[in-house]
Amino acid sequence: MNNTTFESHFGHPAQAAATAHGRVNLIGEHTDYCGGLVLPTLINQKIMVQISLRSDFQINGFSSEFGSQIATISEVASDSWLRFVDGAISLMNEHGANIEGINIHTHSDIPAGAGVSSSAAFEIALLRALCDVTNISLDPKTMALLGQRIEHEFIGTKCGIMDQMAVSIAEFGQGLLLNCQTLETEAVPIPEDCCVAVIHSGSSRKLSNSLYNERLSETIEAANQMGCENLSQASFTDLNKLSDEILIKRSHHVISENQRVMAARDALLANDVISLGTLMTESHLSLRDDYEVSSDELDHLVSLAISQGAYGARLTGAGFGGCIIALMHEDAADEIINAILDNAPKAWLVDSF
Ligand code: GLA
């Protein structure tokens, strides 16, 4: 670990450091807050957090990406990146940490606003570093739930649990099948002779918070009208109980997406990348037509990937901009990726594995 930046900024070495990787979701989009199934995995990009303790109730932050800021614990401005730090300290103190201020340096190569969980990675890296410096041990699931509470209580994003669970628990080369109702997980190996390319559309998410919250309310309303606890408890037959076209489309997406996640798990276990690709593309079409969270740029990239020979492709993350993932044979990967990028001048390759 390179301590030079921390030391030259703060005048002493860091007491603890931790990293966390971003994630992409292979399939299972907008199902987590409906008690449904998701299948994310890690990307190579990561954030590093270095900290030392203070005792004057100050948070002194220095970020290669977000700049320098200083604030008092519990009095951090709502638009400051130190909100994440304040949230992590407050929740760790609930677990007996007794933190009275920190110096913090962060450095990240996870693109922000791209749908690859830069925020969840920050939360988990922070919690890992704070656990280390306070000698508190939290299991990865508890850490994920704390990360989600930082979003809900300190940032104001009513996200599901997928991102924090993926970042905290997933391993390279394996999809993490997660039941977001029970938080049960199963590691599902990704076949070695395929390649997943993560390609940024060149436009970051637009209006994502308000549109995300709108989808969340629509799913709650639809579940209520069908008399179900959440949309993952509903069946296609229950759709007859709905009269609003929008609610029918949203529910159709969630019910069908849960089925696609289970089918994708089976395809992965059977090394059946062709079926997996088809399921990914079906997921994209459902997100485009029923859930209405795609964009022209994302649709264009998905079409390009398929026409260039990918097994399948879909938007990943919340949508409204950000990234697609495309599944392809590893021998054809360079050619397919270059052809996609040649035909979409604003797009760029975030990762491939
Ligand atoms: C964002 C949220 C997740 C999930 C996805 C959509 O990444 O943070 O909880 O809802 O969107 O699948």
Side-chain angles (χ1 to χ4, degrees):
M1 187 248 313
N2 181 356
N3 219 340
T4 331
T5 315
F6 187 98
E7 194 162 352
S8 58
H9 189 81
F10 292 111
H12 59 265
Q15 290 171 291
T19 59
H21 287 258
R23 67 97 190 91
V24 282
N25 189 15
L26 297 175
I27 196 159
E29 217 66 83
H30 287 282
T31 48
D32 63 347
Y33 51 84
C34 301
L37 302 170
V38 296
L39 190 47
T41 190
L42 294 182
I43 58 172
N44 287 296
Q45 285 69 21
K46 61 179 186 292
I47 184 167
M48 182 211 47
V49 165
Q50 295 168 301
I51 56 172
S52 64
L53 293 173
R54 304 173 63 103
S55 52
D56 57 359
F57 297 94
Q58 298 293 298
I59 306 171
N60 190 338
F62 167 55
S63 157
S64 314
E65 292 71 43
F66 307 118
S68 299
Q69 286 189 8
I70 300 178
T72 304
I73 287 184
S74 305
E75 292 174 17
V76 179
S78 61
D79 58 351
S80 165
W81 65 273
L82 297 186
R83 288 289 274 209
F84 287 92
V85 186
D86 198 33
I89 291 175
S90 160
L91 298 183
M92 285 298 294
N93 284 347
E94 276 183 17
H95 282 75
N98 204 20
I99 298 163
E100 297 180 329
I102 65 168
N103 299 309
I104 173 165
H105 170 236
T106 77
H107 178 66
S108 173
D109 62 355
I110 310 173
V116 291
S117 290
S118 58
S119 301
F122 186 25
E123 289 145 20
I124 299 302
L126 261 171
L127 291 166
R128 285 175 176 162
L130 291 175
C131 278
D132 186 2
V133 80
T134 55
N135 275 324
I136 288 178
S137 160
L138 295 178
D139 65 84
K141 202 180 280 185
T142 304
M143 247 187 226
L145 289 165
L146 292 186
Q148 187 192 32
R149 279 186 61 195
I150 296 175
E151 292 283 352
H152 286 199
E153 297 168 28
F154 293 84
I155 307 300
T157 306
K158 300 291 175 203
C159 62
I161 191 64
M162 166 171 71
D163 301 349
Q164 290 77 14
M165 282 291 282
V167 169
S168 184
I169 292 177
E171 289 179 23
F172 282 102
Q174 301 197 324
L176 181 79
L177 175 67
L178 167 67
N179 180 323
C180 299
Q181 179 90 34
T182 62
L183 297 191
E184 280 168 325
T185 61
E186 177 189 340
V188 190
I190 300 171
E192 281 183 5
D193 58 356
C194 70
C195 165
V196 176
V198 185
I199 300 173
H200 198 296
S201 61
S203 43
S204 54
R205 293 170 309 185
K206 298 175 200 85
L207 295 173
S208 56
N209 249 353
S210 56
L211 290 171
Y212 186 90
N213 290 338
E214 190 181 290
R215 294 295 177 283
L216 172 61
S217 333
E218 287 165 350
T219 60
I220 294 170
E221 176 60 24
N224 280 342
Q225 289 188 17
M226 289 190 277
C228 305
E229 189 190 336
N230 57 48
L231 276 189
S232 298
Q233 311 293 320
S235 66
F236 286 122
T237 322
D238 288 321
L239 295 181
N240 296 328
K241 298 178 193 159
L242 299 175
S243 54
D244 183 301
E245 274 307 312
I246 296 282
L247 296 189
I248 293 172
K249 285 189 345 172
R250 306 297 190 247
S251 308
H252 192 273
H253 166 71
V254 175
I255 298 169
S256 63
E257 186 77 350
N258 280 328
Q259 294 185 344
R260 281 187 289 273
V261 176
M262 279 319 282
R265 168 206 178 260
D266 294 345
L268 278 168
L269 290 176
N271 263 323
D272 182 356
V273 285
I274 306 240
S275 298
L276 178 61
T278 305
L279 289 160
M280 286 168 60
T281 305
E282 285 170 6
S283 165
H284 183 78
L285 298 180
S286 179
L287 288 160
R288 184 191 71 184
D289 300 335
D290 282 345
Y291 220 66
E292 297 179 285
V293 292
S294 191
S295 68
D296 290 346
E297 291 94 341
L298 292 168
D299 294 342
H300 178 55
L301 283 180
V302 166
S303 305
L304 264 176
I306 292 163
S307 67
Q308 296 301 328
Y311 298 126
R314 58 184 292 280
L315 70 84
T316 188
F320 316 110
C323 293
I324 68 148
I325 50 168
L327 182 74
M328 52 199 82
H329 195 284
E330 69 172 349
D331 294 345
D334 286 347
E335 207 175 310
I336 295 176
I337 293 168
N338 288 334
I340 296 172
L341 298 180
D342 283 349
N343 286 287
K346 278 167 59 196
W348 51 280
L349 182 68
V350 175
D351 195 15
S352 64
F353 50 84

